[in-house]
Amino acid sequence: MENNFSIYNTLTRTKQLFKPLHEGKVGMYVCGPTVYGDGHLGHARPAITFDVLFRYLRHLGYKVRYVRNITDVGHLEHDADDGEDKIAKKARLEQLEPMEVVQHYLTRYHKAMEALNVLPPSIEPHASGHIIEQIEYIKKILESGYAYISDGSVYFDVPKFNRDHPYGKLSGRNVDELLSNTRELDGQDQKHHPADFALWKKAAPEHIMHWPSPWSEGFPGWHLECSTMGEKYLGESFDIHGGGMDLMFPHHECEIAQSVAHNGHDTVRYWMHNNMITINGKKMGKSLGNFITLDEFFNGTHPLLEQPYSPMTIRFFILQAHYRGTVDFSNEALKASEKALGRMLEGYRRLQELTPSESSTIDVSDIRRKCYEAMDDDMNTPMVIANLFDALRLVNQVKDGHATATQADIDELKTVFDTFLVDILGVRTEMAGDSAEALKPFEGAVELLLDVRAKAKASKDWATSDLIRDRLAALGFTVKDTKDGAEWSLS
Ligand SMILES: [Zn+2]
């Protein structure tokens, strides 16, 4: 299967032509959420970025196995090796069973993803459902000599590993500096070196999530689940591993070290990282008071929000930037995206109503190629959107009677929009069922007024015709007369 799809590989720091390991098939793994709180904008970006990748690979004809994990154990506060488990802490504070916390936030995460039109992955494995596999994985790393047991816990030996294999090659961290860190290990520390990380942690008596293992009653380290589950479902070598840039170090660096220690070679062929979202120029954080959940965006209930923003506005906003660029949220930026999306959907609707002519005065031959070129260039979604807006200008020229298009050209435009806007960018062109139903009588009433106005015009009753147009305009409706009759839109 031939393709021209290039993706930026964080590991090689170059754009590379994508060639899957197995003809016609792609294995991809993306780090999913730690389910101890509501999803926020920072969760939406990787989910949407890798959803577009998933959609595009499928569009190119690949059979894709997309694994996105659920972290429900072992993710300690501050991503560290000490401190409380994020889920156990939430469970303690809310007096719930840890799995109640997981189920509650997982259900809400799925709902938010569905609202954003993010397709479900092929497999969504839970860390807590793969404890046996993780224990077996640790045993093999211990056999390789790159891990040691310390008071019931097992740690990965980073300095020893680094003598044989480069540690830090993904993030480009200065490992010598990291390893020469002479910070005194405090007396409590069971690690031989501060850079070492936990593969298995012995549970403190108050720790509520623990499992039996050869070393202690305890729980797996956070980094381990992704190496274990990636290999279980995608094999010892697979094509793509994705995640947010914030996971590059230490999480993904540790994943690489674990799989090299386990298998003797790298597992992942293409590493892809999406950039972060800032809010009014600042990093998002619970302590900074600028932490806005997805539900708050959808309902407009956070004090920083001037209005609600629909899930499709959020999706469009994220896709208007290249996934490797930073995105800054502001009300102005989101309102601009809302307007742009509105113009796009209005154009899509007008496209469905075009009347074909005998000949074309527009040229649609290049649009499809340009959209593919943009996607092939490391998923340049802002360029795809720019090409679609160029195509919309043609749609509007034809609709407004300034140009003509044959049936074949109209069909080509429809194919381009259905392929790129709907299938690949995943933009929903229909309103959600409920709101569309609720708006039907309202739309009917506007249509009725326009029918009355058409009758008035036909009998040259200009006063009535103008009155209806002006009163609708005062309410925010724009009425436009076209050769197929009057059209309205809400400005
Ligand atoms: Zn991960």
Side-chain angles (χ1 to χ4, degrees):
M1 193 184 297
E2 285 296 310
N3 77 70
N4 295 311
F5 185 28
S6 289
I7 55 184
Y8 182 86
N9 189 346
T10 313
L11 195 61
T12 59
R13 288 163 180 73
T14 51
K15 277 186 204 170
Q16 288 176 288
L17 186 66
F18 175 69
K19 272 189 118 41
L21 194 59
H22 304 287
E23 177 72 19
K25 291 185 182 151
V26 178
M28 69 184 249
Y29 186 96
V30 173
C31 294
T34 300
V35 279
Y36 72 110
D38 272 333
H40 52 75
L41 212 49
H43 287 113
R45 197 166 191 203
I48 290 170
T49 298
F50 295 105
D51 181 54
V52 171
L53 177 64
F54 183 37
R55 288 166 176 270
Y56 191 49
L57 289 166
R58 297 208 311 186
H59 173 76
L60 292 176
Y62 291 108
K63 191 171 182 327
V64 186
R65 182 178 294 164
Y66 174 15
V67 180
R68 189 184 65 205
N69 67 307
I70 297 296
T71 298
D72 58 356
V73 67
H75 196 166
L76 306 188
E77 288 183 293
H78 319 297
D79 300 350
D81 276 340
D82 294 300
E84 208 168 345
D85 183 292
K86 290 184 178 186
I87 287 156
K89 181 179 178 183
K90 190 85 181 179
R92 180 173 59 76
L93 294 176
E94 297 191 2
Q95 295 190 308
L96 294 168
E97 181 67 27
M99 283 304 139
E100 274 183 292
V101 174
V102 168
Q103 193 65 56
H104 175 77
Y105 289 110
L106 184 56
T107 304
R108 293 175 65 83
Y109 177 75
H110 284 155
K111 265 179 101 171
M113 290 303 117
E114 202 183 313
L116 291 166
N117 207 21
V118 168
L119 298 174
S122 330
I123 305 176
E124 197 172 46
H126 289 229
S128 68
H130 297 75
I131 301 292
I132 293 168
E133 288 89 339
Q134 293 183 76
I135 290 172
E136 291 307 309
Y137 204 98
I138 297 171
K139 284 185 189 166
K140 222 173 146 192
I141 297 179
L142 277 167
E143 279 168 29
S144 77
Y146 293 122
Y148 55 89
I149 304 164
S150 178
D151 189 27
S153 293
V154 184
Y155 291 96
F156 194 92
D157 191 334
V158 172
K160 184 171 181 195
F161 177 79
N162 188 54
R163 281 196 286 277
D164 306 329
H165 309 276
Y167 179 77
K169 62 181 176 182
L170 180 71
S171 59
R173 287 270 168 139
N174 185 337
V175 176
D176 292 338
E177 207 168 86
L178 187 76
L179 295 184
S180 67
N181 180 355
T182 49
R183 176 176 72 86
E184 283 287 306
L185 286 168
D186 61 48
Q188 309 295 315
D189 216 320
Q190 305 152 339
K191 293 185 196 178
H192 295 171
H193 191 281
D196 295 348
F197 57 90
L199 298 173
W200 186 264
K201 282 285 282 181
K202 181 176 163 180
E206 66 275 12
H207 200 100
I208 43 181
M209 297 162 89
H210 49 82
W211 290 263
S213 81
W215 315 288
S216 65
E217 188 75 24
F219 56 94
W222 171 41
H223 312 303
L224 189 65
E225 64 181 270
C226 291
S227 290
T228 307
M229 299 192 292
E231 182 167 329
K232 168 157 180 164
Y233 296 110
L234 300 171
E236 255 188 40
S237 288
F238 61 85
D239 297 300
I240 299 171
H241 191 314
M245 231 172 214
D246 53 337
L247 295 179
M248 215 187 287
F249 188 90
H251 185 54
H252 291 159
E253 212 71 78
C254 295
E255 277 189 43
I256 291 177
Q258 289 166 161
S259 42
V260 171
H262 186 265
N263 299 322
H265 60 81
D266 270 319
T267 299
V268 175
R269 301 171 65 243
Y270 300 84
W271 281 93
M272 292 176 77
H273 291 95
N274 65 275
N275 213 318
M276 300 289 102
I277 296 189
T278 52
I279 295 203
N280 296 316
K282 288 195 200 108
K283 211 184 150 203
M284 221 178 348
K286 279 194 168 136
S287 54
L288 298 171
N290 64 358
F291 187 89
I292 311 175
T293 69
L294 289 168
D295 272 355
E296 287 169 333
F297 271 105
F298 303 161
N299 302 319
T301 47
H302 192 280
L304 280 177
L305 300 175
E306 288 168 13
Q307 59 165 79
Y309 299 98
S310 75
M312 275 312 103
T313 298
I314 303 277
R315 186 172 179 111
F316 202 67
F317 168 70
I318 287 175
L319 294 177
Q320 279 181 303
H322 188 262
Y323 75 92
R324 285 194 290 117
T326 53
V327 165
D328 188 46
F329 157 82
S330 65
N331 280 288
E332 292 65 39
L334 263 186
K335 280 185 208 162
S337 290
E338 187 177 52
K339 269 213 177 101
L341 176 64
R343 282 208 313 278
M344 184 68 85
L345 296 182
E346 173 65 12
Y348 182 81
R349 196 181 61 74
R350 296 188 95 201
L351 169 60
Q352 314 307 316
E353 297 169 348
L354 291 189
T355 316
S357 301
E358 287 298 311
S359 63
S360 270
T361 58
I362 58 167
D363 181 8
V364 300
S365 60
D366 258 1
I367 302 167
R368 194 197 291 229
R369 180 182 57 78
K370 283 182 175 166
C371 287
Y372 275 116
E373 276 176 9
M375 277 307 292
D376 283 342
D377 183 17
D378 191 30
M379 296 208 294
N380 193 340
T381 55
M383 189 54 82
V384 175
I385 291 172
N387 288 324
L388 292 177
F389 272 119
D390 285 345
L392 275 192
R393 263 202 293 281
L394 304 179
V395 170
N396 287 330
Q397 281 170 13
V398 175
K399 185 72 187 165
D400 295 339
H402 305 309
T404 61
T406 59
Q407 186 64 54
D409 281 357
I410 293 171
D411 290 345
E412 171 65 10
L413 284 168
K414 284 182 180 169
T415 304
V416 165
F417 277 88
D418 286 335
T419 302
F420 289 93
L421 184 68
V422 179
D423 291 347
I424 296 171
L425 297 186
V427 171
R428 277 197 189 105
T429 54
E430 300 293 326
M431 266 184 283
D434 285 356
S435 33
E437 274 309 303
L439 283 178
K440 272 204 177 127
F442 161 84
E443 286 173 354
V446 179
E447 300 287 346
L448 171 67
L449 279 170
L450 291 179
D451 285 348
V452 173
R453 178 170 170 267
K455 279 219 162 76
K457 276 177 84 171
S459 53
K460 298 196 166 30
D461 178 2
W462 308 118
T464 304
S465 147
D466 290 350
L467 176 74
I468 292 173
R469 189 197 56 210
D470 295 345
R471 291 288 288 274
L472 281 173
L475 291 167
F477 293 93
T478 310
V479 175
K480 210 167 168 184
D481 291 305
T482 74
K483 63 181 163 69
D484 302 325
E487 270 187 7
W488 64 274
S489 58
L490 201 50
S491 43

